[in-house]
Amino acid sequence: MTEQRPPLPPFTLETARQKVRAAEDGWNSRNPEKVSLAYTPDTIWRNRSDFPVGREQVVEFLTSKWQREQEYRLIKELWTFAGNRIAVRFAYEWHDAAGQWYRSYGNENWEFAPNGLMHRRFASINDLAISANDRKMHWPQGPRPADHPGLSELGL
């Protein structure tokens, strides 16, 4: 039996939003193995200058990322969708080993297999150094609370 990850394409506004929030919650877990299960076994990524292919490389990439990007907190927002594709914009905050905070802004294009697993993920990301006082994402590590503002509400 083929593994499935509902909601399945083609997406509606409601199911596209569900997919975006599920991805945000998964990434905020900072659990590379768990996150990798949302992708096809042969997933194809572009993330900055990294090009992981397959779940094993995704786990390696995310493990390294979250060791480097400490106290990571992410917010994603649906930009548009059609058929089996979703585009999102996102921002996340993190600090490096020296304690310098950053807000990273980006866009992702996602393409899903019929079983609801993401097959392709293309991300473009820019980093902005910020002070700790400029942070906008304040919640305990893990999923963003339902009452925490999203990107638009934060003016991002």
Side-chain angles (χ1 to χ4, degrees), residues 90-94 101-105 125-131 133-137 151 156:
F90 63 88
Y92 62 91
E93 294 177 347
W94 58 281
W101 280 95
Y102 295 88
R103 185 175 306 121
S104 299
Y105 298 93
I125 306 168
N126 301 296
D127 300 321
L128 175 68
I130 61 172
S131 72
N133 292 336
D134 290 331
R135 291 180 55 222
K136 295 180 182 267
M137 301 177 194
L151 292 180
L156 299 175

Side-chain angles (χ1 to χ4, degrees), residues 42-63:
D42 61 345
T43 190
I44 299 165
W45 283 25
R46 178 184 51 76
N47 194 98
R48 300 177 191 256
S49 60
D50 293 303
F51 297 85
V53 175
R55 285 182 179 163
E56 185 176 319
Q57 288 184 16
V58 165
V59 169
E60 291 170 8
F61 169 81
L62 293 173
T63 298

